[in-house]
Amino acid sequence: MDMIVYVICYLASFLMARWGHDWLSGLALLAAAVWLYVSDWRRTKNPIHLRGIFSLFWVGGEGLACLKLSRLQTDWALMTWICFFLAYIGFWIVFEILKQIYGEGGNGYGRWRSFEADSVPVFRMICVLTVLSLAAFLAEAAVLGYVPLFLHGVPHAYSEFHLTGLHYLTVSCVLVPSLTVLYFHTSKGRGGDGRLFAAVLLTLISLLIPILCVSRYQFVFAVALAAITFISLQKSFHLWYLLGLLAVIIPVYLILTVARSHDVEYLNGIFEMKYESMPIFITQPYMYIANNYDNFNCLVETLASHSLGLKGLFPLWTLTGLKFLFPQLVNFPVYVDKAELTTLTLFYDAYYDFGWIGVLAFSAVLGLASYLLVVKLREMRNPMGYLLHAQVAVYLILSFFTTWFSNSTTWFYLVVTAILAVYYSFSARRR
Protein backbone atom coordinates (compact mmCIF):
# COMPACT_ATOMS: atom_id res chain seq x y z
CA MET A 1 0.00 0.00 0.00
CA ASP A 2 2.81 2.43 0.89
CA MET A 3 4.52 1.97 -2.46
CA ILE A 4 1.24 2.39 -4.34
CA VAL A 5 0.66 5.70 -2.55
CA TYR A 6 4.20 6.84 -3.33
CA VAL A 7 4.04 5.92 -7.03
CA ILE A 8 0.66 7.64 -7.47
CA CYS A 9 1.84 10.79 -5.69
CA TYR A 10 5.13 10.82 -7.59
CA LEU A 11 3.40 10.48 -10.95
CA ALA A 12 0.93 13.20 -9.98
CA SER A 13 3.79 15.47 -8.93
CA PHE A 14 5.62 14.87 -12.22
CA LEU A 15 2.52 15.63 -14.31
CA MET A 16 1.62 18.71 -12.28
CA ALA A 17 5.17 20.04 -12.71
CA ARG A 18 5.00 19.46 -16.46
CA TRP A 19 1.69 21.32 -16.60
CA GLY A 20 3.06 24.25 -14.63
CA HIS A 21 1.19 23.66 -11.36
CA ASP A 22 4.18 23.87 -9.02
CA TRP A 23 2.22 24.08 -5.79
CA LEU A 24 0.19 20.97 -6.58
CA SER A 25 3.37 19.18 -7.63
CA GLY A 26 5.05 19.96 -4.34
CA LEU A 27 2.04 19.17 -2.18
CA ALA A 28 1.67 15.73 -3.77
CA LEU A 29 5.18 14.74 -2.70
CA LEU A 30 4.84 16.34 0.72
CA ALA A 31 1.70 14.26 1.29
CA ALA A 32 3.56 11.11 0.20
CA ALA A 33 6.45 11.89 2.57
CA VAL A 34 4.15 12.26 5.57
CA TRP A 35 2.20 9.11 4.66
CA LEU A 36 5.35 7.00 4.34
CA TYR A 37 6.87 8.28 7.59
CA VAL A 38 3.70 7.83 9.62
CA SER A 39 3.24 4.34 8.18
CA ASP A 40 6.65 3.17 9.41
CA TRP A 41 6.22 4.96 12.75
CA ARG A 42 2.81 3.40 13.42
CA ARG A 43 3.97 -0.09 12.49
CA THR A 44 7.21 -0.07 14.50
CA LYS A 45 6.37 2.49 17.22
CA ASN A 46 9.77 3.95 16.37
CA PRO A 47 9.85 7.71 15.52
CA ILE A 48 13.45 7.45 14.29
CA HIS A 49 12.98 4.37 12.14
CA LEU A 50 15.63 4.79 9.44
CA ARG A 51 13.35 4.10 6.48
CA GLY A 52 10.70 6.37 7.95
CA ILE A 53 12.99 9.35 8.41
CA PHE A 54 14.55 8.87 4.97
CA SER A 55 11.04 8.88 3.49
CA LEU A 56 10.09 12.03 5.36
CA PHE A 57 13.17 14.08 4.60
CA TRP A 58 14.20 12.88 1.13
CA VAL A 59 10.74 12.79 -0.41
CA GLY A 60 9.59 15.78 1.66
CA GLY A 61 12.63 17.81 0.60
CA GLU A 62 11.89 16.99 -3.02
CA GLY A 63 8.33 18.18 -2.45
CA LEU A 64 9.59 21.51 -1.11
CA ALA A 65 11.85 21.88 -4.13
CA CYS A 66 8.89 21.27 -6.44
CA LEU A 67 7.14 24.35 -5.02
CA LYS A 68 9.63 26.44 -7.04
CA LEU A 69 9.60 29.48 -4.76
CA SER A 70 12.86 30.89 -6.17
CA ARG A 71 13.63 32.28 -9.61
CA LEU A 72 16.80 30.14 -9.54
CA GLN A 73 14.70 26.99 -9.79
CA THR A 74 13.88 25.66 -13.24
CA ASP A 75 11.92 22.72 -14.67
CA TRP A 76 13.78 19.48 -14.05
CA ALA A 77 14.99 17.21 -16.81
CA LEU A 78 13.25 13.85 -17.23
CA MET A 79 16.43 12.08 -16.09
CA THR A 80 16.39 14.12 -12.86
CA TRP A 81 12.86 12.90 -12.10
CA ILE A 82 13.92 9.32 -12.87
CA CYS A 83 16.97 9.54 -10.59
CA PHE A 84 15.01 11.01 -7.68
CA PHE A 85 12.46 8.20 -8.06
CA LEU A 86 15.18 5.54 -8.14
CA ALA A 87 16.93 7.11 -5.15
CA TYR A 88 13.91 6.31 -2.99
CA ILE A 89 12.55 3.18 -4.67
CA GLY A 90 15.87 1.31 -4.42
CA PHE A 91 16.11 2.04 -0.69
CA TRP A 92 12.48 1.13 0.00
CA ILE A 93 12.42 -2.10 -2.01
CA VAL A 94 15.66 -3.51 -0.59
CA PHE A 95 14.53 -2.68 2.95
CA GLU A 96 11.09 -4.22 2.30
CA ILE A 97 12.47 -7.42 0.72
CA LEU A 98 14.76 -7.99 3.70
CA LYS A 99 11.90 -7.27 6.08
CA GLN A 100 9.67 -9.81 4.35
CA ILE A 101 12.39 -12.49 4.31
CA TYR A 102 14.01 -12.01 7.71
CA GLY A 103 11.33 -10.10 9.58
CA GLU A 104 11.19 -6.71 11.25
CA GLY A 105 13.49 -7.88 13.99
CA GLY A 106 11.15 -6.62 16.70
CA ASN A 107 10.99 -3.10 17.96
CA GLY A 108 14.56 -1.86 18.06
CA TYR A 109 13.58 1.23 20.02
CA GLY A 110 14.63 1.74 23.61
CA ARG A 111 15.61 -1.85 24.35
CA TRP A 112 19.29 -1.63 25.28
CA ARG A 113 20.10 -2.42 28.93
CA SER A 114 22.82 -0.41 30.60
CA PHE A 115 25.58 -1.59 32.92
CA GLU A 116 27.03 0.86 35.40
CA ALA A 117 30.56 -0.54 35.16
CA ASP A 118 30.65 0.13 31.43
CA SER A 119 30.31 3.89 31.88
CA VAL A 120 34.01 4.32 32.68
CA PRO A 121 35.38 3.78 29.14
CA VAL A 122 32.67 6.06 27.76
CA PHE A 123 33.76 8.82 30.15
CA ARG A 124 37.36 8.37 29.01
CA MET A 125 36.26 8.74 25.40
CA ILE A 126 34.56 12.05 26.25
CA CYS A 127 37.72 13.34 27.89
CA VAL A 128 40.11 12.28 25.11
CA LEU A 129 37.97 13.51 22.22
CA THR A 130 37.31 16.88 23.84
CA VAL A 131 40.97 17.46 24.68
CA LEU A 132 42.10 16.48 21.17
CA SER A 133 39.44 18.64 19.53
CA LEU A 134 40.18 21.67 21.69
CA ALA A 135 43.94 21.32 21.18
CA ALA A 136 43.48 21.09 17.41
CA PHE A 137 41.19 24.14 17.41
CA LEU A 138 43.68 26.21 19.42
CA ALA A 139 46.49 25.14 17.09
CA GLU A 140 44.50 26.19 14.02
CA ALA A 141 43.59 29.53 15.60
CA ALA A 142 47.25 30.15 16.49
CA VAL A 143 48.56 29.30 13.02
CA LEU A 144 45.81 31.10 11.07
CA GLY A 145 45.78 34.06 13.41
CA TYR A 146 42.04 34.43 13.95
CA VAL A 147 38.87 32.85 15.33
CA PRO A 148 35.95 33.05 12.85
CA LEU A 149 33.39 34.13 15.47
CA PHE A 150 35.38 37.29 16.22
CA LEU A 151 36.11 38.14 12.58
CA HIS A 152 33.32 40.42 11.36
CA GLY A 153 32.46 41.47 7.83
CA VAL A 154 33.96 38.36 6.17
CA PRO A 155 31.07 36.05 5.11
CA HIS A 156 33.27 33.06 4.21
CA ALA A 157 35.87 33.17 6.99
CA TYR A 158 34.49 29.94 8.46
CA SER A 159 35.22 27.96 5.28
CA GLU A 160 38.86 29.09 5.28
CA PHE A 161 39.44 28.17 8.92
CA HIS A 162 41.14 24.80 8.59
CA LEU A 163 44.57 23.25 8.39
CA THR A 164 44.92 20.14 6.25
CA GLY A 165 44.56 17.01 8.35
CA LEU A 166 44.37 18.80 11.69
CA HIS A 167 40.83 20.04 11.10
CA TYR A 168 39.52 16.48 11.28
CA LEU A 169 40.49 16.46 14.96
CA THR A 170 38.90 19.86 15.49
CA VAL A 171 35.51 18.73 14.21
CA SER A 172 35.63 15.42 16.12
CA CYS A 173 34.02 17.43 18.94
CA VAL A 174 30.61 16.74 17.37
CA LEU A 175 30.72 13.17 18.71
CA VAL A 176 31.11 14.25 22.34
CA PRO A 177 27.47 15.23 23.15
CA SER A 178 26.25 11.86 21.91
CA LEU A 179 28.88 10.10 24.00
CA THR A 180 27.74 12.10 27.01
CA VAL A 181 24.19 10.85 26.49
CA LEU A 182 25.56 7.30 26.43
CA TYR A 183 27.60 7.98 29.56
CA PHE A 184 24.59 9.16 31.53
CA HIS A 185 22.63 6.15 30.30
CA THR A 186 25.29 3.60 31.18
CA SER A 187 26.02 5.13 34.58
CA LYS A 188 22.37 5.92 35.36
CA GLY A 189 23.57 9.17 36.88
CA ARG A 190 25.75 7.35 39.41
CA GLY A 191 29.19 8.06 38.01
CA GLY A 192 30.15 10.31 40.91
CA ASP A 193 29.60 14.04 41.14
CA GLY A 194 33.06 14.78 39.79
CA ARG A 195 32.63 12.71 36.63
CA LEU A 196 29.10 13.93 36.00
CA PHE A 197 30.19 17.54 36.31
CA ALA A 198 33.23 16.92 34.12
CA ALA A 199 31.11 15.23 31.43
CA VAL A 200 28.73 18.21 31.32
CA LEU A 201 31.60 20.70 31.22
CA LEU A 202 33.40 18.85 28.44
CA THR A 203 30.16 18.65 26.47
CA LEU A 204 29.70 22.42 26.72
CA ILE A 205 33.27 22.90 25.48
CA SER A 206 32.64 20.54 22.57
CA LEU A 207 29.55 22.57 21.59
CA LEU A 208 31.46 25.83 21.95
CA ILE A 209 34.04 24.82 19.33
CA PRO A 210 31.62 24.84 16.31
CA ILE A 211 30.21 28.13 17.62
CA LEU A 212 33.71 29.65 17.64
CA CYS A 213 34.22 28.22 14.13
CA VAL A 214 30.85 29.74 13.10
CA SER A 215 29.90 26.33 11.74
CA ARG A 216 26.13 25.94 11.77
CA TYR A 217 26.43 22.50 10.20
CA GLN A 218 28.79 21.17 12.89
CA PHE A 219 26.64 22.55 15.70
CA VAL A 220 23.41 21.15 14.26
CA PHE A 221 25.14 17.84 13.59
CA ALA A 222 26.40 17.57 17.18
CA VAL A 223 23.02 18.40 18.73
CA ALA A 224 21.14 16.12 16.32
CA LEU A 225 23.49 13.21 17.07
CA ALA A 226 22.92 13.63 20.80
CA ALA A 227 19.16 13.98 20.36
CA ILE A 228 18.80 10.86 18.23
CA THR A 229 21.00 8.88 20.62
CA PHE A 230 18.83 10.03 23.52
CA ILE A 231 15.58 9.18 21.74
CA SER A 232 16.83 5.75 20.69
CA LEU A 233 17.47 4.89 24.36
CA GLN A 234 13.99 5.86 25.57
CA LYS A 235 11.00 3.57 25.95
CA SER A 236 8.59 6.09 24.44
CA PHE A 237 8.71 9.30 22.42
CA HIS A 238 7.38 12.60 23.71
CA LEU A 239 6.78 15.81 21.78
CA TRP A 240 8.93 17.77 24.21
CA TYR A 241 11.99 15.93 22.85
CA LEU A 242 11.46 17.67 19.51
CA LEU A 243 10.57 21.01 21.08
CA GLY A 244 13.68 20.87 23.24
CA LEU A 245 15.84 20.10 20.22
CA LEU A 246 14.43 23.07 18.29
CA ALA A 247 14.83 25.33 21.34
CA VAL A 248 18.57 24.58 21.31
CA ILE A 249 19.22 24.63 17.57
CA ILE A 250 17.20 27.62 16.32
CA PRO A 251 18.65 30.40 18.50
CA VAL A 252 22.26 29.30 17.98
CA TYR A 253 21.63 28.82 14.25
CA LEU A 254 20.36 32.39 13.95
CA ILE A 255 23.25 33.77 16.00
CA LEU A 256 25.79 31.96 13.80
CA THR A 257 24.05 33.27 10.69
CA VAL A 258 24.51 36.83 11.93
CA ALA A 259 28.10 36.05 12.95
CA ARG A 260 28.81 34.98 9.38
CA SER A 261 27.88 38.49 8.22
CA HIS A 262 24.95 37.05 6.29
CA ASP A 263 22.38 39.82 6.63
CA VAL A 264 18.89 39.73 5.14
CA GLU A 265 19.81 41.81 2.09
CA TYR A 266 22.79 39.58 1.32
CA LEU A 267 20.76 36.38 1.60
CA ASN A 268 17.78 37.67 -0.37
CA GLY A 269 20.14 38.72 -3.15
CA ILE A 270 21.48 35.17 -3.36
CA PHE A 271 18.20 33.28 -3.00
CA GLU A 272 16.24 35.34 -5.58
CA MET A 273 12.86 34.45 -4.10
CA LYS A 274 9.75 35.04 -6.21
CA TYR A 275 7.96 36.43 -3.14
CA GLU A 276 10.37 39.10 -1.94
CA SER A 277 8.38 39.82 1.21
CA MET A 278 8.83 36.26 2.48
CA PRO A 279 10.48 36.27 5.95
CA ILE A 280 14.13 35.28 5.95
CA PHE A 281 13.58 32.60 8.62
CA ILE A 282 11.44 30.78 6.03
CA THR A 283 13.50 31.66 2.98
CA GLN A 284 16.83 30.45 4.30
CA PRO A 285 15.88 26.91 5.39
CA TYR A 286 13.74 26.54 2.28
CA MET A 287 16.64 27.31 -0.05
CA TYR A 288 19.08 25.17 1.92
CA ILE A 289 16.74 22.25 1.30
CA ALA A 290 15.24 22.95 -2.12
CA ASN A 291 18.24 24.27 -4.03
CA ASN A 292 20.18 21.03 -3.57
CA TYR A 293 17.71 19.20 -5.79
CA ASP A 294 18.15 21.89 -8.44
CA ASN A 295 21.93 21.52 -8.17
CA PHE A 296 21.44 17.82 -8.92
CA ASN A 297 19.40 18.80 -11.97
CA CYS A 298 22.19 21.15 -13.00
CA LEU A 299 24.58 18.18 -12.82
CA VAL A 300 22.27 16.02 -14.96
CA GLU A 301 21.96 18.72 -17.63
CA THR A 302 25.65 19.72 -17.66
CA LEU A 303 27.76 16.61 -17.03
CA ALA A 304 29.53 15.53 -20.19
CA SER A 305 30.97 12.21 -18.95
CA HIS A 306 30.86 10.12 -15.79
CA SER A 307 33.83 9.74 -13.44
CA LEU A 308 33.42 5.94 -13.11
CA GLY A 309 33.91 5.81 -9.34
CA LEU A 310 36.72 8.34 -8.95
CA LYS A 311 34.44 11.08 -7.60
CA GLY A 312 32.83 8.85 -5.01
CA LEU A 313 36.23 7.63 -3.79
CA PHE A 314 37.24 11.15 -2.77
CA PRO A 315 37.60 10.12 0.92
CA LEU A 316 40.13 7.45 -0.07
CA TRP A 317 42.24 9.93 -2.04
CA THR A 318 42.04 12.44 0.80
CA LEU A 319 42.59 10.30 3.87
CA THR A 320 45.49 8.39 2.26
CA GLY A 321 47.11 11.59 0.97
CA LEU A 322 47.02 10.33 -2.64
CA LYS A 323 45.35 13.56 -3.75
CA PHE A 324 48.62 15.40 -3.12
CA LEU A 325 50.55 12.96 -5.31
CA PHE A 326 47.90 12.69 -8.02
CA PRO A 327 45.78 15.89 -8.03
CA GLN A 328 43.83 14.63 -11.04
CA LEU A 329 42.08 12.14 -8.75
CA VAL A 330 40.09 14.97 -7.14
CA ASN A 331 40.07 17.47 -9.98
CA PHE A 332 36.37 17.26 -10.81
CA PRO A 333 34.22 20.37 -11.27
CA VAL A 334 31.11 20.77 -9.13
CA TYR A 335 28.04 21.77 -11.13
CA VAL A 336 25.69 24.12 -9.25
CA ASP A 337 23.20 26.71 -10.44
CA LYS A 338 24.75 29.50 -8.36
CA ALA A 339 28.30 29.77 -7.01
CA GLU A 340 27.19 30.73 -3.47
CA LEU A 341 24.83 27.74 -3.15
CA THR A 342 27.09 24.71 -3.14
CA THR A 343 25.22 22.15 -1.03
CA LEU A 344 24.33 18.92 -2.83
CA THR A 345 22.16 15.86 -2.33
CA LEU A 346 23.18 12.48 -0.96
CA PHE A 347 23.10 11.01 -4.49
CA TYR A 348 25.03 13.73 -6.35
CA ASP A 349 28.32 11.81 -6.58
CA ALA A 350 26.55 8.52 -7.28
CA TYR A 351 25.15 10.07 -10.46
CA TYR A 352 28.46 11.79 -11.18
CA ASP A 353 30.16 8.37 -11.16
CA PHE A 354 27.71 6.05 -12.91
CA GLY A 355 24.52 7.94 -13.82
CA TRP A 356 21.13 6.52 -12.87
CA ILE A 357 22.68 3.08 -12.33
CA GLY A 358 24.93 4.56 -9.66
CA VAL A 359 21.97 6.26 -7.97
CA LEU A 360 19.96 3.02 -7.87
CA ALA A 361 22.90 0.91 -6.65
CA PHE A 362 23.84 3.38 -3.93
CA SER A 363 20.23 3.63 -2.82
CA ALA A 364 20.02 -0.16 -2.53
CA VAL A 365 23.19 -0.30 -0.41
CA LEU A 366 21.76 2.38 1.90
CA GLY A 367 18.57 0.33 2.22
CA LEU A 368 20.58 -2.76 3.17
CA ALA A 369 22.71 -0.91 5.74
CA SER A 370 19.66 0.79 7.25
CA TYR A 371 17.79 -2.50 7.62
CA LEU A 372 20.74 -4.09 9.42
CA LEU A 373 21.02 -1.15 11.82
CA VAL A 374 17.30 -1.11 12.57
CA VAL A 375 17.18 -4.85 13.23
CA LYS A 376 20.43 -5.10 15.17
CA LEU A 377 19.94 -2.04 17.35
CA ARG A 378 18.03 -3.94 20.04
CA GLU A 379 20.74 -6.61 20.20
CA MET A 380 23.71 -4.26 20.58
CA ARG A 381 25.76 -4.70 23.73
CA ASN A 382 28.31 -2.09 22.69
CA PRO A 383 26.94 1.45 23.18
CA MET A 384 28.98 2.70 20.23
CA GLY A 385 26.39 0.96 18.06
CA TYR A 386 23.98 3.70 19.11
CA LEU A 387 26.51 6.32 18.06
CA LEU A 388 26.75 4.64 14.64
CA HIS A 389 22.96 4.44 14.37
CA ALA A 390 22.67 8.14 15.23
CA GLN A 391 25.20 9.11 12.54
CA VAL A 392 23.39 7.16 9.82
CA ALA A 393 20.08 8.66 10.98
CA VAL A 394 21.48 12.19 10.65
CA TYR A 395 22.86 11.42 7.19
CA LEU A 396 19.42 10.23 6.09
CA ILE A 397 17.65 13.17 7.70
CA LEU A 398 20.02 15.56 5.92
CA SER A 399 19.99 13.53 2.69
CA PHE A 400 19.10 16.72 0.82
CA PHE A 401 22.18 18.54 2.14
CA THR A 402 25.39 16.93 0.89
CA THR A 403 26.93 13.73 -0.46
CA TRP A 404 27.94 12.48 3.03
CA PHE A 405 29.41 9.09 2.09
CA SER A 406 31.81 10.57 -0.44
CA ASN A 407 32.86 13.13 2.18
CA SER A 408 36.13 12.41 3.96
CA THR A 409 34.89 13.89 7.25
CA THR A 410 32.04 11.38 7.34
CA TRP A 411 34.45 8.48 7.01
CA PHE A 412 36.71 10.01 9.64
CA TYR A 413 33.74 9.98 12.03
CA LEU A 414 32.98 6.37 11.12
CA VAL A 415 36.60 5.32 11.67
CA VAL A 416 36.68 7.10 15.04
CA THR A 417 33.41 5.37 15.99
CA ALA A 418 34.93 1.99 15.07
CA ILE A 419 38.02 2.74 17.18
CA LEU A 420 35.82 3.74 20.12
CA ALA A 421 33.79 0.54 19.74
CA VAL A 422 36.93 -1.61 19.80
CA TYR A 423 38.25 0.26 22.83
CA TYR A 424 34.94 -0.16 24.66
CA SER A 425 34.88 -3.91 24.00
CA PHE A 426 38.48 -4.32 25.11
CA SER A 427 37.93 -2.23 28.25
CA ALA A 428 34.67 -3.97 29.13
CA ARG A 429 36.31 -7.41 28.89
CA ARG A 430 39.16 -6.30 31.15
CA ARG A 431 36.70 -4.98 33.74
Side-chain angles (χ1 to χ4, degrees), residues 130-413:
T130 305
V131 169
L132 287 176
S133 179
L134 181 60
F137 169 77
L138 293 175
E140 288 189 304
V143 173
L144 297 174
Y146 69 94
V147 173
L149 182 64
F150 307 128
L151 194 64
H152 301 292
V154 184
H156 301 292
Y158 68 95
S159 62
E160 299 172 359
F161 185 80
H162 66 273
L163 295 177
T164 301
L166 188 61
H167 198 65
Y168 290 119
L169 290 178
T170 299
V171 299
S172 64
C173 61
V174 301
L175 302 178
V176 172
S178 184
L179 289 172
T180 301
V181 171
L182 290 169
Y183 171 69
F184 274 85
H185 185 77
T186 54
S187 67
K188 294 184 178 180
R190 297 194 298 269
D193 292 339
R195 282 183 186 167
L196 294 176
F197 176 78
V200 172
L201 179 61
L202 292 172
T203 301
L204 293 176
I205 293 173
S206 71
L207 290 173
L208 180 62
I209 292 174
I211 293 176
L212 292 172
C213 293
V214 198
S215 176
R216 295 173 302 195
Y217 148 64
Q218 296 291 350
F219 180 82
V220 171
F221 188 80
V223 175
L225 271 183
I228 292 172
T229 302
F230 175 79
I231 293 171
S232 66
L233 292 168
Q234 306 309 304
K235 293 182 179 179
S236 60
F237 178 80
H238 300 284
L239 182 60
W240 68 266
Y241 296 162
L242 178 60
L243 296 178
L245 178 63
L246 295 176
V248 172
I249 289 179
I250 291 177
V252 177
Y253 185 91
L254 294 175
I255 291 171
L256 293 181
T257 297
V258 174
R260 284 190 176 194
S261 301
H262 288 179
D263 56 27
V264 174
E265 183 179 358
Y266 171 82
L267 293 173
N268 281 337
I270 291 176
F271 295 151
E272 299 184 31
M273 302 300 288
K274 294 177 181 177
Y275 308 101
E276 297 180 358
S277 60
M278 184 176 291
I280 193 63
F281 63 83
I282 295 177
T283 296
Q284 188 175 30
Y286 172 79
M287 286 304 290
Y288 278 164
I289 295 173
N291 187 253
N292 307 324
Y293 295 86
D294 289 273
N295 282 342
F296 186 96
N297 182 65
C298 180
L299 170 71
V300 169
E301 294 182 331
T302 309
L303 186 65
S305 60
H306 298 290
S307 54
L308 303 179
L310 293 179
K311 187 75 165 62
L313 289 175
F314 178 81
L316 177 62
W317 316 138
T318 300
L319 296 175
T320 60
L322 287 174
K323 71 173 185 177
F324 300 109
L325 298 176
F326 307 100
Q328 65 272 22
L329 291 174
V330 295
N331 190 24
F332 294 99
V334 178
Y335 301 102
V336 294
D337 56 16
K338 193 162 189 174
E340 295 86 352
L341 301 174
T342 58
T343 51
L344 314 167
T345 68
L346 183 63
F347 299 94
Y348 188 94
D349 285 350
Y351 182 86
Y352 209 125
D353 279 338
F354 300 107
W356 67 266
I357 296 176
V359 171
L360 180 59
F362 182 51
S363 174
V365 171
L366 284 177
L368 170 62
S370 297
Y371 173 81
L372 293 176
L373 276 174
V374 168
V375 170
K376 296 298 182 181
L377 188 62
R378 69 186 295 243
E379 303 172 8
M380 289 181 181
R381 309 295 291 181
N382 191 317
M384 295 308 107
Y386 279 80
L387 180 59
L388 174 61
H389 174 271
Q391 289 176 64
V392 174
V394 172
Y395 301 146
L396 295 180
I397 289 172
L398 299 178
S399 55
F400 53 79
F401 182 70
T402 190
T403 52
W404 291 119
F405 293 101
S406 53
N407 185 312
S408 53
T409 304
T410 297
W411 286 99
F412 179 80
Y413 291 152

Side-chain angles (χ1 to χ4, degrees), residues 120-121 124 422-431:
V120 175
R124 292 172 182 164
V422 171
Y423 169 73
Y424 179 88
S425 296
F426 174 76
S427 179
R429 283 198 297 268
R430 289 188 61 187
R431 292 178 66 86

Side-chain angles (χ1 to χ4, degrees), residues 26-83:
L27 291 174
L29 282 178
L30 288 170
V34 173
W35 173 281
L36 293 165
Y37 173 72
V38 171
S39 177
D40 275 325
W41 185 358
R42 291 177 62 183
R43 190 186 70 257
T44 64
K45 310 301 181 186
N46 183 358
I48 52 173
H49 187 274
L50 293 182
R51 188 172 68 175
I53 60 177
F54 180 64
S55 303
L56 180 63
F57 288 93
W58 173 256
V59 180
E62 188 181 350
L64 291 175
C66 286
L67 296 176
K68 298 287 191 290
L69 300 182
S70 168
R71 286 185 289 272
L72 292 174
Q73 297 175 283
T74 59
D75 293 335
W76 294 341
L78 177 61
M79 180 53 69
T80 300
W81 282 96
I82 292 173
C83 286

